[in-house]
Amino acid sequence: MKILVTGGLGFIGSETVISLIENGYEVVIVDNLANSKIGVLDRIETITGVRPDFVKVDCCDKEALNQVFDAYPVSGVIHFAGLKAVGESVRIPLAYYRNNLLSTINLVEAMAAHNVYNLVFSSSATVYGDPKELPLLETTPLGETTNPYGETKKMIERILTDFNKANPQFNIALLRYFNPIGGHKSGLLGEDPTGIPNNLLPYVTQVAIGRRDKLHVYGNDYPTEDGTCIRDYIHVCDLAEGHVATIKYLEEKPGLVIFNLGTGKGTSVFGVLKAFEEATGVKIPYQIDPRRPGDVTANYANVDKAEKILHWKAKRDVKQACFDAYQFQVKNPKGIE
Ligand code: WQD
């Protein structure tokens, strides 16, 4: 069975491609290389022994996308492609709305035109906004997003839900990721942001190898045990395996489903630094900065639904993820060339 993976050369996409191949699927990757490197394809081949098909296409280009479906008969699609930098989305909101919404609409139309009915969409825990109660269940009402990036995820969830009502032959999974971190155990793949990292772990690993002098911790006056924010950090390889479980599920069960993909455990920023030091032996220098606008105090998932229905559960802990992220950074100090 062949699966089309948009954004398949990205951080989560590439790990998912590997998991799919390891589970006997064939893969065709579509990626516009806006925030990924072609070298990732070689690394996927080194790890799996298989070179997936790759087509450089921007999903906003409907004709090119249709040509991919003409050329590669697929049974399902996992849609990762999208712009994802929170701060940038505040500066150039229209680019985010145009890119993320248009690419998804084009994709679904191309799927419908080619009778491909199984779709997994990369959503985010950001759709819950600032949680009133924890842990977050899939039934927890959605909250106010704090930036255009998050709003595109919420809007796409709505678009796909409406589309599914009108087109019940489609099977759609909305996967709400918590905070993906880590990398492949080979050290060949990991998070490789361009410029200054927005997210915690890539910043920490760049400090660890001396590329940056210290971490800026955004606030230590939150109402948590140590004053820093709490997140549900999930190893990217666990997340990837969650996608394979979802694809298998969609092959058997029709309809629209929503799953939280997290670990169910919250870790503070200082908790991450402690795990990092335990895993790698490297102590991260930091300074306390003011709170970052838009950050919520805490969020973590209830993951019972995924466990019960997908028979999937995160197996790796934050320490393992810190170790794998560090390995990747050490082997690729300047990222993937
Ligand atoms: C985690 C914690 C920061 C950087 C974002 C998106 C979300 C999802 C994942 C991505 C927070 C603190 C961070 C730093 C710090 N989407 N921090 N110093 O904000 O939970 O989620 O990324 O595609 O939609 O909103 O993740 O890694 O940025 O932050 O102290 O240099 O680390 O304040 O408490 P976040 P993050």
Side-chain angles (χ1 to χ4, degrees):
M1 237 158 343
K2 197 160 206 148
I3 304 295
L4 187 145
V5 181
T6 76
L9 296 181
F11 173 48
I12 310 172
S14 57
E15 294 294 352
T16 301
V17 167
I18 290 169
S19 285
L20 285 167
I21 293 170
E22 285 171 348
N23 280 273
Y25 288 90
E26 289 178 45
V27 174
V28 53
I29 295 172
V30 160
D31 199 302
N32 69 355
L33 299 175
N35 192 25
S36 60
K37 311 258 173 65
I38 189 66
V40 170
L41 195 59
D42 300 328
R43 294 179 179 213
I44 292 172
E45 185 178 3
T46 305
I47 291 167
T48 63
V50 176
R51 191 171 186 85
D53 292 316
F54 167 70
V55 197
K56 183 172 182 261
V57 163
D58 188 323
C59 296
C60 290
D61 182 345
K62 195 170 172 184
E63 207 178 305
L65 198 54
N66 270 300
Q67 283 168 8
V68 175
F69 280 91
D70 290 341
Y72 299 94
V74 297
S75 61
V77 176
I78 306 182
H79 181 37
F80 292 102
L83 299 175
K84 61 162 194 172
V86 171
E88 184 183 63
S89 80
V90 175
R91 286 194 301 279
I92 48 168
L94 293 188
Y96 272 69
Y97 288 113
R98 181 193 301 277
N99 183 83
N100 291 1
L101 301 188
L102 189 61
S103 61
T104 306
I105 293 169
N106 283 346
L107 179 67
V108 174
E109 285 180 344
M111 289 175 69
H114 292 82
N115 303 319
V116 178
Y117 297 126
N118 292 348
L119 172 65
V120 178
F121 172 64
S122 292
S123 189
S124 166
T126 194
V127 299
Y128 293 115
D130 194 355
K132 290 188 183 62
E133 262 181 62
L134 290 168
L136 291 156
L137 286 149
E138 288 83 351
T139 48
T140 301
L142 302 190
E144 282 289 316
T145 56
T146 53
N147 57 77
Y149 156 77
E151 192 60 28
T152 66
K153 293 294 176 192
K154 204 167 145 190
M155 288 168 102
I156 294 169
E157 284 205 2
R158 177 63 197 259
I159 290 169
L160 293 177
T161 304
D162 289 343
F163 175 77
N164 190 246
K165 276 185 201 146
N167 299 274
Q169 72 275 32
F170 265 78
N171 309 311
I172 300 179
L174 310 176
L175 300 184
R176 294 178 180 159
Y177 310 153
F178 283 69
N179 287 54
I181 58 168
H184 193 265
K185 61 178 188 294
S186 61
L188 287 172
L189 292 173
E191 211 169 351
D192 184 19
T194 29
I196 302 169
N198 299 305
N199 296 114
L200 180 63
L201 242 290
Y203 206 107
V204 166
T205 58
Q206 291 192 10
V207 172
I209 63 156
R211 217 170 120 181
R212 302 189 186 277
D213 59 347
K214 60 183 173 228
L215 174 72
H216 299 262
V217 173
Y218 299 135
N220 66 347
D221 58 350
Y222 284 95
T224 61
E225 215 165 277
D226 63 21
T228 63
C229 294
I230 290 174
R231 297 288 182 272
D232 184 339
Y233 295 94
I234 175 169
H235 195 296
V236 66
C237 294
D238 282 322
L239 195 56
E241 287 162 11
H243 288 73
V244 178
T246 306
I247 276 286
K248 285 184 181 156
Y249 174 82
L250 289 186
E251 284 160 5
E252 285 156 25
K253 298 272 169 46
L256 181 133
V257 276
I258 302 175
F259 292 108
N260 284 339
L261 295 187
T263 66
K265 285 190 208 87
T267 307
S268 70
V269 175
F270 286 155
V272 170
L273 296 185
K274 184 165 171 274
F276 191 87
E277 188 179 345
E278 283 170 9
T280 66
V282 182
K283 202 174 168 67
I284 299 297
Y286 65 84
Q287 74 175 45
I288 306 292
D289 275 15
R291 291 181 179 198
R292 182 173 67 175
D295 275 346
V296 302
T297 301
N299 77 358
Y300 52 92
N302 175 307
V303 287
D304 293 350
K305 186 177 174 189
E307 204 176 325
K308 193 163 153 226
I309 296 176
L310 296 177
H311 311 294
W312 166 89
K313 195 178 173 187
K315 299 193 291 257
R316 302 156 178 95
D317 62 10
V318 172
K319 215 164 132 178
Q320 178 71 51
C322 286
F323 181 78
D324 291 335
Y326 180 60
Q327 282 297 106
F328 171 73
Q329 193 72 77
V330 168
K331 290 192 179 168
N332 305 272
K334 292 187 179 145
I336 296 170
E337 304 290 339

